[in-house]
Coordinates of all heavy atoms in Angstrom, one line a residue:
M1 N -89.7 14.5 -97.3 CA -91.0 14.4 -97.8 C -92.0 15.0 -96.8 O -91.9 14.8 -95.6 CB -91.4 12.9 -98.0 CG -92.8 12.7 -98.6 SD -93.2 10.9 -98.8 CE -91.9 10.3 -99.9
D2 N -92.9 15.8 -97.3 CA -93.8 16.5 -96.4 C -95.0 15.6 -95.9 O -95.2 14.5 -96.5 CB -94.3 17.8 -97.0 CG -95.3 17.6 -98.1 OD1 -95.3 16.5 -98.7 OD2 -96.0 18.5 -98.5
Q3 N -95.7 16.0 -94.9 CA -96.7 15.2 -94.3 C -97.8 14.9 -95.3 O -98.4 13.8 -95.3 CB -97.2 15.8 -93.0 CG -98.2 15.0 -92.3 CD -98.7 15.6 -91.0 OE1 -98.6 16.8 -90.8 NE2 -99.4 14.9 -90.2
R4 N -98.2 15.8 -96.1 CA -99.3 15.6 -97.0 C -99.0 14.5 -98.0 O -99.8 13.7 -98.3 CB -99.6 16.9 -97.8 CG -100.4 17.9 -97.0 CD -100.7 19.1 -97.8 NE -101.2 20.2 -97.0 CZ -101.6 21.3 -97.5 NH1 -101.5 21.6 -98.8 NH2 -102.0 22.3 -96.7
R5 N -97.8 14.6 -98.5 CA -97.3 13.6 -99.5 C -97.3 12.2 -98.8 O -97.6 11.2 -99.4 CB -96.0 14.0 -100.0 CG -95.5 13.1 -101.1 CD -96.3 13.3 -102.4 NE -95.8 12.4 -103.4 CZ -96.5 11.9 -104.4 NH1 -97.7 12.2 -104.5 NH2 -96.0 11.1 -105.3
Q6 N -96.8 12.1 -97.6 CA -96.7 10.8 -96.9 C -98.1 10.2 -96.7 O -98.3 9.0 -96.9 CB -96.1 11.0 -95.5 CG -94.6 11.2 -95.6 CD -94.0 11.5 -94.2 OE1 -94.7 11.9 -93.3 NE2 -92.7 11.3 -94.2
I7 N -99.1 11.1 -96.3 CA -100.5 10.6 -96.1 C -101.0 10.1 -97.4 O -101.7 9.1 -97.5 CB -101.3 11.7 -95.5 CG1 -100.9 12.0 -94.0 CG2 -102.8 11.4 -95.6 CD1 -101.5 13.2 -93.4
Q8 N -100.8 10.9 -98.5 CA -101.3 10.6 -99.8 C -100.7 9.2 -100.3 O -101.5 8.4 -100.7 CB -100.9 11.7 -100.8 CG -101.4 11.5 -102.2 CD -100.9 12.6 -103.1 OE1 -100.1 13.4 -102.8 NE2 -101.5 12.7 -104.3
E9 N -99.5 9.0 -100.1 CA -98.8 7.7 -100.5 C -99.3 6.6 -99.7 O -99.6 5.5 -100.2 CB -97.3 7.8 -100.5 CG -96.8 8.7 -101.6 CD -95.3 8.7 -101.6 OE1 -94.6 7.9 -100.9 OE2 -94.7 9.5 -102.4
F10 N -99.5 6.8 -98.4 CA -99.9 5.7 -97.5 C -101.3 5.3 -97.9 O -101.6 4.1 -98.0 CB -99.9 6.2 -96.0 CG -100.5 5.2 -95.1 CD1 -99.8 4.1 -94.7 CD2 -101.8 5.4 -94.6 CE1 -100.3 3.2 -93.8 CE2 -102.4 4.4 -93.8 CZ -101.6 3.3 -93.4
L11 N -102.2 6.3 -98.0 CA -103.6 6.0 -98.3 C -103.8 5.3 -99.6 O -104.5 4.3 -99.7 CB -104.5 7.2 -98.2 CG -104.7 7.8 -96.8 CD1 -105.4 9.1 -96.8 CD2 -105.3 6.8 -95.8
S12 N -103.2 5.8 -100.6 CA -103.3 5.2 -102.0 C -102.7 3.9 -102.1 O -103.3 3.0 -102.7 CB -102.8 6.2 -103.0 OG -101.4 6.4 -102.9
S13 N -101.6 3.7 -101.4 CA -100.9 2.3 -101.5 C -101.7 1.3 -100.7 O -101.9 0.2 -101.2 CB -99.5 2.4 -100.9 OG -99.5 2.6 -99.5
R14 N -102.3 1.7 -99.6 CA -103.1 0.7 -98.8 C -104.4 0.4 -99.5 O -104.8 -0.7 -99.5 CB -103.4 1.3 -97.4 CG -102.2 1.4 -96.5 CD -101.5 0.1 -96.3 NE -100.5 0.1 -95.3 CZ -99.2 0.4 -95.6 NH1 -98.9 0.7 -96.9 NH2 -98.3 0.4 -94.7
R15 N -105.0 1.4 -100.1 CA -106.3 1.2 -100.8 C -106.0 0.2 -102.0 O -106.9 -0.6 -102.3 CB -106.8 2.6 -101.3 CG -108.1 2.5 -102.0 CD -108.6 3.9 -102.3 NE -107.8 4.7 -103.1 CZ -107.7 4.6 -104.4 NH1 -108.4 3.8 -105.1 NH2 -106.9 5.4 -105.1
A16 N -104.9 0.3 -102.7 CA -104.6 -0.5 -103.8 C -104.3 -2.0 -103.4 O -104.5 -2.9 -104.1 CB -103.4 0.1 -104.6
R17 N -103.8 -2.1 -102.2 CA -103.4 -3.5 -101.7 C -104.5 -4.3 -101.2 O -104.4 -5.5 -101.2 CB -102.3 -3.3 -100.6 CG -101.0 -2.9 -101.1 CD -99.9 -2.7 -100.0 NE -100.1 -3.4 -98.8 CZ -99.4 -3.3 -97.7 NH1 -98.3 -2.5 -97.8 NH2 -99.6 -4.0 -96.6
I18 N -105.6 -3.7 -100.8 CA -106.7 -4.4 -100.2 C -107.7 -4.8 -101.3 O -108.2 -4.0 -102.0 CB -107.4 -3.6 -99.1 CG1 -106.4 -3.2 -98.0 CG2 -108.6 -4.4 -98.5 CD1 -107.0 -2.3 -97.0
T19 N -107.9 -6.1 -101.4 CA -108.9 -6.5 -102.4 C -110.3 -6.4 -101.9 O -110.5 -6.4 -100.7 CB -108.6 -8.0 -102.8 OG1 -108.9 -8.8 -101.7 CG2 -107.2 -8.2 -103.3
P20 N -111.3 -6.3 -102.8 CA -112.7 -6.3 -102.3 C -113.0 -7.5 -101.5 O -113.8 -7.4 -100.5 CB -113.5 -6.2 -103.6 CG -112.5 -5.6 -104.6 CD -111.2 -6.1 -104.2
Q21 N -112.5 -8.7 -101.8 CA -112.8 -9.9 -101.1 C -112.3 -9.8 -99.6 O -112.9 -10.2 -98.7 CB -112.2 -11.1 -101.8 CG -112.8 -11.4 -103.1 CD -112.1 -10.7 -104.2 OE1 -111.3 -9.8 -104.0 NE2 -112.5 -11.0 -105.5
Q22 N -111.1 -9.2 -99.5 CA -110.5 -9.1 -98.1 C -111.3 -8.1 -97.3 O -111.4 -8.3 -96.1 CB -109.1 -8.5 -98.2 CG -108.1 -9.5 -98.8 CD -106.7 -8.8 -99.0 OE1 -106.6 -7.7 -99.4 NE2 -105.6 -9.6 -98.8
A23 N -112.0 -7.2 -97.9 CA -112.8 -6.2 -97.2 C -114.2 -6.7 -97.0 O -115.1 -6.0 -96.4 CB -112.9 -4.9 -98.0
G24 N -114.5 -7.9 -97.5 CA -115.9 -8.5 -97.3 C -116.9 -8.0 -98.4 O -118.1 -8.1 -98.1
L25 N -116.4 -7.5 -99.5 CA -117.3 -7.1 -100.5 C -117.4 -8.1 -101.6 O -116.5 -8.9 -101.9 CB -116.8 -5.8 -101.2 CG -116.6 -4.6 -100.2 CD1 -115.9 -3.5 -100.9 CD2 -117.9 -4.1 -99.7
S26 N -118.6 -8.1 -102.3 CA -118.8 -9.0 -103.4 C -118.2 -8.4 -104.6 O -118.2 -7.2 -104.8 CB -120.2 -9.4 -103.6 OG -120.9 -8.2 -103.9
V27 N -117.7 -9.2 -105.5 CA -117.1 -8.7 -106.8 C -118.1 -8.8 -107.9 O -118.6 -9.9 -108.1 CB -115.8 -9.5 -107.1 CG1 -115.2 -9.0 -108.4 CG2 -114.8 -9.4 -106.0
P28 N -118.4 -7.7 -108.6 CA -119.3 -7.8 -109.7 C -118.8 -8.7 -110.9 O -117.6 -8.9 -111.0 CB -119.5 -6.4 -110.2 CG -118.3 -5.6 -109.7 CD -117.8 -6.4 -108.4
L29 N -119.7 -9.2 -111.6 CA -119.3 -10.1 -112.7 C -118.5 -9.4 -113.8 O -117.6 -10.1 -114.4 CB -120.6 -10.8 -113.3 CG -121.4 -11.6 -112.4 CD1 -122.7 -12.1 -113.1 CD2 -120.6 -12.9 -112.0
R30 N -118.7 -8.2 -114.0 CA -118.0 -7.5 -115.1 C -116.6 -7.0 -114.7 O -115.9 -6.5 -115.5 CB -118.9 -6.3 -115.6 CG -119.1 -5.3 -114.5 CD -119.9 -4.1 -115.1 NE -120.4 -3.3 -114.1 CZ -119.7 -2.3 -113.4 NH1 -118.5 -2.2 -113.7 NH2 -120.3 -1.6 -112.5
G31 N -116.2 -7.3 -113.5 CA -114.9 -6.9 -113.0 C -114.8 -5.4 -112.5 O -115.9 -4.8 -112.4
R32 N -113.6 -5.0 -112.2 CA -113.5 -3.7 -111.6 C -112.4 -2.9 -112.4 O -111.5 -3.6 -113.0 CB -113.0 -3.8 -110.2 CG -114.1 -4.4 -109.3 CD -113.6 -4.7 -107.9 NE -113.2 -3.6 -107.2 CZ -114.0 -3.0 -106.3 NH1 -115.2 -3.4 -106.0 NH2 -113.5 -2.0 -105.6
R33 N -112.4 -1.6 -112.4 CA -111.4 -0.8 -113.1 C -110.2 -0.7 -112.3 O -109.1 -0.4 -112.8 CB -112.0 0.5 -113.4 CG -113.1 0.4 -114.4 CD -113.7 1.8 -114.7 NE -112.7 2.6 -115.4 CZ -112.9 3.9 -115.7 NH1 -114.0 4.5 -115.4 NH2 -112.0 4.6 -116.3
V34 N -110.3 -0.8 -110.9 CA -109.1 -0.7 -110.1 C -108.9 -2.0 -109.3 O -109.8 -2.7 -109.0 CB -109.3 0.5 -109.0 CG1 -109.4 1.8 -109.7 CG2 -110.5 0.2 -108.2
P35 N -107.6 -2.4 -109.1 CA -107.4 -3.7 -108.5 C -107.8 -3.7 -107.0 O -108.2 -4.7 -106.5 CB -105.9 -3.8 -108.6 CG -105.3 -2.4 -108.8 CD -106.4 -1.7 -109.4
G36 N -107.7 -2.6 -106.3 CA -108.0 -2.6 -104.9 C -109.4 -2.0 -104.6 O -110.3 -2.0 -105.4
L37 N -109.5 -1.4 -103.4 CA -110.7 -0.8 -103.1 C -110.9 0.6 -103.8 O -109.9 1.3 -104.1 CB -110.8 -0.5 -101.5 CG -110.8 -1.8 -100.7 CD1 -110.8 -1.3 -99.2 CD2 -112.0 -2.6 -101.0
R38 N -112.1 0.9 -104.0 CA -112.4 2.2 -104.5 C -112.4 3.3 -103.4 O -112.6 2.9 -102.2 CB -113.8 2.2 -105.2 CG -113.9 1.3 -106.3 CD -115.4 1.4 -106.9 NE -115.5 0.6 -108.1 CZ -116.3 -0.5 -108.2 NH1 -117.1 -0.8 -107.2 NH2 -116.3 -1.2 -109.3
R39 N -112.2 4.5 -103.7 CA -112.1 5.6 -102.7 C -113.5 5.6 -102.0 O -113.5 5.8 -100.7 CB -111.9 6.9 -103.3 CG -110.5 7.1 -103.8 CD -110.2 8.5 -104.4 NE -108.9 8.6 -104.8 CZ -108.5 8.5 -106.1 NH1 -109.4 8.3 -107.0 NH2 -107.2 8.7 -106.4
E40 N -114.6 5.4 -102.7 CA -115.9 5.4 -102.0 C -116.0 4.3 -101.0 O -116.6 4.5 -99.9 CB -117.0 5.3 -103.1 CG -117.0 6.4 -104.1 CD -116.0 6.3 -105.2 OE1 -115.3 5.3 -105.3 OE2 -116.0 7.3 -106.0
E41 N -115.4 3.2 -101.3 CA -115.5 2.1 -100.3 C -114.7 2.4 -99.1 O -115.2 2.1 -97.9 CB -115.1 0.8 -101.0 CG -116.0 0.4 -102.1 CD -115.4 -0.7 -103.1 OE1 -114.2 -0.8 -103.1 OE2 -116.2 -1.3 -103.8
V42 N -113.5 2.9 -99.2 CA -112.7 3.2 -98.0 C -113.4 4.3 -97.2 O -113.4 4.2 -96.0 CB -111.3 3.7 -98.5 CG1 -110.5 4.1 -97.3 CG2 -110.5 2.5 -99.2
A43 N -113.9 5.3 -97.9 CA -114.6 6.4 -97.2 C -115.8 5.8 -96.3 O -116.0 6.2 -95.2 CB -115.1 7.4 -98.1
T44 N -116.5 4.9 -96.9 CA -117.6 4.3 -96.2 C -117.1 3.5 -95.0 O -117.7 3.6 -93.9 CB -118.4 3.3 -97.1 OG1 -118.9 4.1 -98.2 CG2 -119.6 2.7 -96.4
F45 N -116.1 2.7 -95.2 CA -115.5 1.9 -94.0 C -115.0 2.9 -92.9 O -115.1 2.5 -91.8 CB -114.4 1.0 -94.5 CG -114.9 -0.2 -95.3 CD1 -114.3 -0.5 -96.5 CD2 -116.0 -1.0 -94.9 CE1 -114.7 -1.6 -97.2 CE2 -116.4 -2.0 -95.6 CZ -115.8 -2.4 -96.8
A46 N -114.5 4.0 -93.3 CA -113.9 4.9 -92.4 C -114.9 5.9 -91.7 O -114.6 6.6 -90.8 CB -112.8 5.8 -93.0
G47 N -116.1 5.9 -92.3 CA -117.2 6.7 -91.7 C -117.0 8.2 -92.1 O -117.3 9.1 -91.4
L48 N -116.4 8.4 -93.3 CA -116.1 9.7 -93.8 C -117.0 10.0 -95.1 O -117.3 9.0 -95.7 CB -114.6 9.9 -94.2 CG -113.6 9.7 -93.1 CD1 -112.2 9.7 -93.7 CD2 -113.8 10.7 -92.0
S49 N -117.2 11.2 -95.4 CA -117.8 11.5 -96.7 C -116.8 11.1 -97.8 O -115.6 11.2 -97.6 CB -118.3 12.9 -96.8 OG -117.2 13.8 -97.0
V50 N -117.4 10.8 -98.9 CA -116.5 10.5 -100.1 C -115.7 11.7 -100.5 O -114.5 11.5 -100.7 CB -117.4 10.0 -101.3 CG1 -116.5 9.7 -102.5 CG2 -118.1 8.7 -100.9
D51 N -116.3 12.8 -100.5 CA -115.6 14.0 -100.9 C -114.4 14.3 -99.9 O -113.3 14.7 -100.4 CB -116.5 15.2 -100.9 CG -115.9 16.5 -101.3 OD1 -115.3 16.6 -102.4 OD2 -115.9 17.5 -100.5
Y52 N -114.7 14.2 -98.7 CA -113.6 14.4 -97.7 C -112.5 13.4 -97.8 O -111.3 13.8 -97.8 CB -114.2 14.3 -96.2 CG -113.2 14.7 -95.2 CD1 -113.2 16.0 -94.8 CD2 -112.4 13.8 -94.6 CE1 -112.2 16.4 -93.8 CE2 -111.5 14.2 -93.6 CZ -111.4 15.5 -93.2 OH -110.5 15.9 -92.3
Y53 N -112.8 12.1 -98.0 CA -111.7 11.2 -98.2 C -110.9 11.5 -99.5 O -109.7 11.4 -99.4 CB -112.3 9.7 -98.3 CG -111.2 8.8 -98.5 CD1 -110.3 8.4 -97.5 CD2 -110.9 8.3 -99.8 CE1 -109.3 7.5 -97.7 CE2 -109.8 7.4 -100.0 CZ -109.0 7.1 -99.0 OH -107.9 6.2 -99.2
I54 N -111.6 11.8 -100.5 CA -110.8 12.1 -101.8 C -109.9 13.3 -101.6 O -108.7 13.3 -102.0 CB -111.8 12.4 -102.9 CG1 -112.5 11.1 -103.3 CG2 -111.1 13.0 -104.1 CD1 -113.7 11.2 -104.3
R55 N -110.4 14.3 -100.9 CA -109.5 15.5 -100.6 C -108.4 15.1 -99.7 O -107.2 15.6 -99.9 CB -110.3 16.6 -100.0 CG -111.2 17.3 -101.0 CD -111.9 18.5 -100.5 NE -113.0 18.1 -99.6 CZ -113.4 18.7 -98.5 NH1 -112.8 19.8 -98.1 NH2 -114.4 18.2 -97.8
L56 N -108.6 14.2 -98.8 CA -107.6 13.8 -97.8 C -106.5 13.0 -98.6 O -105.3 13.2 -98.5 CB -108.2 12.9 -96.7 CG -107.2 12.4 -95.7 CD1 -106.6 13.5 -94.9 CD2 -108.0 11.4 -94.8
E57 N -106.9 12.0 -99.5 CA -106.0 11.2 -100.2 C -105.2 12.0 -101.2 O -104.0 11.8 -101.5 CB -106.7 10.1 -100.9 CG -105.7 9.1 -101.6 CD -106.4 8.0 -102.3 OE1 -106.9 7.1 -101.6 OE2 -106.5 8.0 -103.5
R58 N -105.8 13.0 -101.8 CA -105.1 13.9 -102.8 C -104.3 15.0 -102.1 O -103.6 15.7 -102.9 CB -106.1 14.5 -103.7 CG -106.8 13.5 -104.6 CD -107.7 14.1 -105.6 NE -108.3 13.1 -106.5 CZ -109.3 13.3 -107.3 NH1 -109.9 14.5 -107.3 NH2 -109.8 12.4 -108.0
G59 N -104.3 15.0 -100.8 CA -103.4 16.0 -100.1 C -104.0 17.4 -100.2 O -103.2 18.4 -100.0
K60 N -105.3 17.5 -100.4 CA -105.9 18.9 -100.5 C -106.3 19.4 -99.1 O -106.7 20.6 -99.0 CB -107.2 18.8 -101.3 CG -107.0 18.2 -102.7 CD -106.2 19.3 -103.6 CE -106.1 18.7 -105.0 NZ -105.4 19.6 -105.9
L61 N -106.2 18.6 -98.1 CA -106.6 19.1 -96.7 C -105.3 19.4 -96.0 O -104.4 18.6 -95.9 CB -107.4 18.1 -96.0 CG -108.7 17.7 -96.6 CD1 -109.4 16.6 -95.8 CD2 -109.6 18.9 -96.6
A62 N -105.3 20.6 -95.3 CA -104.1 21.0 -94.6 C -103.9 20.1 -93.3 O -102.9 19.6 -93.0 CB -104.2 22.4 -94.2
V63 N -105.0 19.9 -92.6 CA -105.0 19.1 -91.4 C -106.2 18.2 -91.3 O -107.3 18.7 -91.5 CB -104.9 20.0 -90.1 CG1 -104.9 19.2 -88.9 CG2 -103.7 20.9 -90.2
A64 N -106.1 17.0 -91.0 CA -107.2 16.1 -90.7 C -107.3 15.9 -89.2 O -106.2 15.8 -88.5 CB -107.0 14.8 -91.4
K65 N -108.4 15.8 -88.7 CA -108.6 15.6 -87.3 C -108.0 14.2 -86.9 O -108.0 13.3 -87.7 CB -110.1 15.6 -86.9 CG -110.7 17.0 -87.0 CD -112.1 16.9 -86.6 CE -112.8 18.3 -86.9 NZ -114.2 18.2 -86.7
C66 N -107.5 14.1 -85.8 CA -106.8 12.8 -85.3 C -107.7 11.6 -85.4 O -107.4 10.6 -85.9 CB -106.3 13.0 -83.9 SG -105.3 11.6 -83.3
A67 N -109.0 11.8 -85.0 CA -109.9 10.7 -85.0 C -110.2 10.3 -86.5 O -110.3 9.1 -86.8 CB -111.2 11.1 -84.3
E68 N -110.3 11.2 -87.4 CA -110.5 10.9 -88.8 C -109.3 10.1 -89.4 O -109.5 9.2 -90.1 CB -110.8 12.2 -89.6 CG -112.1 12.8 -89.2 CD -112.2 14.2 -89.7 OE1 -111.2 14.8 -90.1 OE2 -113.4 14.7 -89.7
R69 N -108.1 10.5 -89.0 CA -106.9 9.8 -89.5 C -106.9 8.4 -89.0 O -106.6 7.4 -89.8 CB -105.7 10.5 -89.0 CG -105.3 11.7 -89.7 CD -104.0 12.2 -89.2 NE -103.7 13.6 -89.6 CZ -102.8 14.3 -89.1 NH1 -101.9 13.8 -88.3 NH2 -102.6 15.6 -89.5
H70 N -107.3 8.2 -87.7 CA -107.3 6.8 -87.2 C -108.3 5.9 -87.9 O -108.1 4.8 -88.2 CB -107.5 6.8 -85.7 CG -106.4 7.3 -84.9 ND1 -105.2 6.6 -84.8 CD2 -106.2 8.4 -84.2 CE1 -104.3 7.3 -84.1 NE2 -104.9 8.4 -83.7
R71 N -109.5 6.5 -88.1 CA -110.6 5.7 -88.8 C -110.2 5.4 -90.2 O -110.4 4.3 -90.7 CB -111.9 6.5 -88.8 CG -112.6 6.6 -87.5 CD -114.0 7.0 -87.6 NE -114.3 8.1 -88.5 CZ -114.6 9.3 -88.1 NH1 -114.7 9.7 -86.9 NH2 -114.8 10.3 -89.1
T72 N -109.6 6.4 -90.9 CA -109.1 6.1 -92.2 C -108.0 5.1 -92.3 O -108.1 4.2 -93.1 CB -108.6 7.5 -92.9 OG1 -109.7 8.4 -92.8 CG2 -108.3 7.3 -94.3
C73 N -107.1 5.2 -91.4 CA -106.0 4.2 -91.4 C -106.5 2.8 -91.1 O -106.1 1.8 -91.6 CB -104.9 4.6 -90.4 SG -104.0 6.0 -91.0
A74 N -107.5 2.7 -90.1 CA -108.0 1.4 -89.7 C -108.8 0.8 -90.9 O -108.7 -0.4 -91.1 CB -108.9 1.6 -88.5
A75 N -109.5 1.6 -91.6 CA -110.3 1.2 -92.8 C -109.3 0.7 -93.9 O -109.6 -0.2 -94.7 CB -111.2 2.2 -93.3
A76 N -108.1 1.3 -94.0 CA -107.2 1.0 -95.0 C -106.4 -0.3 -94.7 O -105.6 -0.7 -95.5 CB -106.3 2.2 -95.3
R77 N -106.5 -0.8 -93.5 CA -105.8 -2.0 -93.2 C -106.6 -3.2 -93.5 O -106.7 -4.1 -93.8 CB -105.5 -2.0 -91.7 CG -104.5 -1.0 -91.3 CD -104.1 -1.1 -89.9 NE -103.2 0.0 -89.6 CZ -103.0 0.6 -88.5 NH1 -103.7 0.2 -87.4 NH2 -102.2 1.6 -88.3

């Protein structure tokens, strides 16, 4: 398995496992379409732009800076 695929699987699986309550977010009354965190929420926690995080999770970026990877992984925990 290549590195892009590993990063993609890691980020999407972690994002799905963390509930909004675990991340300290309030849950709207109407519910959510996804069981875990939204991409926008993870990007905010990681200090990344939403567009950059989406490209990272989808494997569209060839290389992410080391600091950005650490922030993203920390936000996904």
Side-chain angles (χ1 to χ4, degrees):
M1 183 180 302
D2 69 343
Q3 185 179 14
R4 287 184 190 181
R5 185 73 181 149
Q6 288 175 339
I7 291 171
Q8 183 180 14
E9 287 184 10
F10 174 80
L11 293 175
S12 61
S13 68
R14 292 302 184 271
R15 184 172 58 82
R17 287 178 22 185
I18 301 171
T19 66
Q21 295 88 352
Q22 290 172 324
L25 300 172
S26 60
V27 179
L29 296 175
R30 62 179 168 78
R32 295 170 64 97
R33 294 178 66 185
V34 294
L37 294 178
R38 297 178 176 121
R39 287 183 181 99
E40 294 82 5
E41 294 164 342
V42 176
T44 300
F45 288 134
L48 303 172
S49 73
V50 175
D51 181 60
Y52 188 89
Y53 177 79
I54 290 171
R55 287 186 285 146
L56 182 64
E57 186 180 284
R58 291 182 179 169
K60 303 287 184 184
L61 297 175
V63 177
K65 294 179 184 173
C66 186
E68 292 166 345
R69 284 188 196 166
H70 288 291
R71 287 196 317 253
T72 304
C73 290
R77 290 187 183 152

